[in-house]
Every structure is written in structure tokens, then in C-alpha cells.
């Protein structure tokens, strides 16, 4: 940094002052819940409320698209660690396309749980689902939950994204593209 300041004709420490204080580095450096990404909605309250009680260890998601490019379904498998004793529920949400009819979005529990409450917030385009786990888990125990959001509607958004309320590593695999 000193050499760069010298080349630019700056006083020692000027560039560092512009950069601000050093940020923490490493795996846990930026680890914080990102509930600020969820809409301010009653349907999102349960999702954001669970962030301190669980930790996502692995998430696998399959997005299935019909030949006519309508979104068919989103199938998710999550491996989760309980960070507290008594974790008996898992909450997930689907932020729908602006043109989607939320009343047509169905939620199905596939494995590790059964479907509890489902809330629809039409103003924020959010479907929130509660999954009742097979049993209550203790701190440190891991469990798997699988579920599906069945959409089966045309998609007009040009992007697909996911919001996780905890730090997460992402990989993408494109095995088949819909017809154009």
C-alpha cells in the first residue's frame, strides 16, 4: 500500500483511510442472519424467526420447467442442524412471480415432516409454509426435510433467486434447458 501511495504522490496512510477499517476474514466473518431480505410480512415472520434456532448444512433444489416454459415445481431437500433443543418445525417460503396466482401454488411435504400452516400474502407475493417435523430435535442433531412448491403457471420474471436466512454456499447445474 505504501508503494502505491508513493507512486500516486499521497501521504502515508491516505489510501488506508479511504478504505476504512479492516474487515474480519474467514468462514464466520460475515455470518449473520439475512432476514432483512424477506418482505415485512406476517407470512415471513415464522421464516425469519427460525434463523437463530437452525443452521442449514446442505440444500439441494430442483427447479422443473414445463416444455412451454411455465414453472412446474420447485423441489427442495434440506439438511438442517438444530441449534436449540426442541426444534420441531421448519419454515420455508416461495416468493412468486408478479403475475402468479398464489391461490394456485400448492405446498407438499415429501419427507421428514408433514405440512402444517400455509400462509399466502398476496401483497408481497409470498407463500409461507410450516413443516411439522417427525419429532423434536435437540441441539446438535441434524435432520432432513423435503418439500415441494407446485407452481404450474407461466413465469414472466427473467430471473430465479433464493433467499436463505443464513450464510450458504451455492453451486449451479444446468442439465436441460426448456425449449425456446
Amino acid at each position: 500500500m505504501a508503494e502505491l501511495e508513493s507512486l500516486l504522490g499521497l501521504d502515508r496512510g491516505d489510501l488506508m483511510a479511504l478504505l476504512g477499517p479492516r474487515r474480519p476474514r474467514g468462514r464466520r466473518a460475515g455470518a449473520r442472519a439475512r432476514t432483512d431480505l424477506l418482505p415485512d410480512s406476517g407470512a415471513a415472520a415464522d421464516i425469519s424467526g427460525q434463523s437463530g434456532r437452525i443452521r442449514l448444512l446442505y440444500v439441494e433444489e430442483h427447479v422443473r420447467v414445463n416444455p412451454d416454459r411455465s414453472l412446474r415445481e420447485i423441489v427442495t431437500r434440506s439438511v438442517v442442524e438444530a441449534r436449540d433443543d426442541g426444534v420441531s418445525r421448519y419454515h420455508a417460503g416461495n416468493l412468486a412471480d408478479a403475475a402468479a396466482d398464489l391461490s394456485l401454488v400448492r405446498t407438499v411435504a415429501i419427507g421428514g415432516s408433514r405440512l402444517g400452516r400455509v400462509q399466502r400474502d398476496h401483497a408481497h407475493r409470498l407463500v409461507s409454509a410450516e413443516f411439522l417435523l417427525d419429532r423434536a430435535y435437540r441441539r446438535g442433531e441434524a435432520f432432513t426435510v423435503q418439500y415441494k412448491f407446485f407452481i404450474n403457471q407461466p413465469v414472466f420474471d427473467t430471473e430465479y433467486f433464493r433467499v436463505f436466512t443464513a450464510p450458504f454456499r451455492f453451486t449451479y447445474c444446468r442439465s436441460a434447458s426448456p425449449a425456446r
Side-chain angles (χ1 to χ4, degrees):
M1 196 60 77
E3 288 182 39
L4 214 83
E5 289 169 332
S6 174
L7 285 170
L8 296 171
L10 300 171
D11 291 333
R12 186 173 182 91
D14 280 355
L15 284 179
M16 289 303 290
L18 290 173
L19 291 174
R22 293 184 73 108
R23 292 185 304 194
R25 302 280 186 231
R27 287 186 79 173
R28 304 255 183 240
R32 67 179 176 91
R34 290 305 312 263
T35 56
D36 58 313
L37 297 173
L38 294 169
D40 185 19
S41 162
D46 290 332
I47 299 169
S48 59
Q50 78 179 351
S51 64
R53 301 197 69 213
I54 64 166
R55 180 170 71 116
L56 291 171
L57 301 175
Y58 172 82
V59 175
E60 178 180 315
E61 190 159 86
H62 296 268
V63 178
R64 295 194 174 108
V65 178
N66 291 323
D68 67 354
R69 301 190 75 180
S70 61
L71 179 59
R72 177 175 167 71
E73 63 190 14
I74 302 166
V75 180
T76 304
R77 177 186 311 148
S78 298
V79 177
V80 184
E81 178 185 26
R83 298 181 83 183
D84 272 340
D85 288 341
V87 172
S88 61
R89 290 163 169 52
Y90 180 83
H91 299 273
N94 177 266
L95 203 56
D97 182 280
D101 181 352
L102 293 187
S103 61
L104 298 177
V105 175
R106 289 185 306 143
T107 308
V108 178
I110 299 172
S113 66
R114 65 186 192 284
L115 188 61
R117 294 177 300 147
V118 175
Q119 299 178 61
R120 289 172 172 76
D121 181 336
H122 295 274
H124 292 99
R125 303 175 4 226
L126 178 68
V127 177
S128 173
E130 171 189 56
F131 298 95
L132 306 171
L133 303 175
D134 296 335
R135 66 179 180 89
Y137 289 87
R138 294 176 46 187
R139 180 184 176 97
E141 288 185 311
F143 59 91
T144 301
V145 64
Q146 292 178 269
Y147 56 90
K148 173 185 348 187
F149 284 107
F150 188 77
I151 314 295
N152 212 27
Q153 298 180 58
V155 177
F156 299 102
D157 284 345
T158 58
E159 63 185 9
Y160 175 78
F161 69 95
R162 288 282 294 173
V163 175
F164 295 99
T165 58
F168 189 76
R169 184 185 307 194
F170 175 77
T171 58
Y172 174 74
C173 177
R174 173 185 269 175
S175 61
S177 297
R180 290 194 179 258

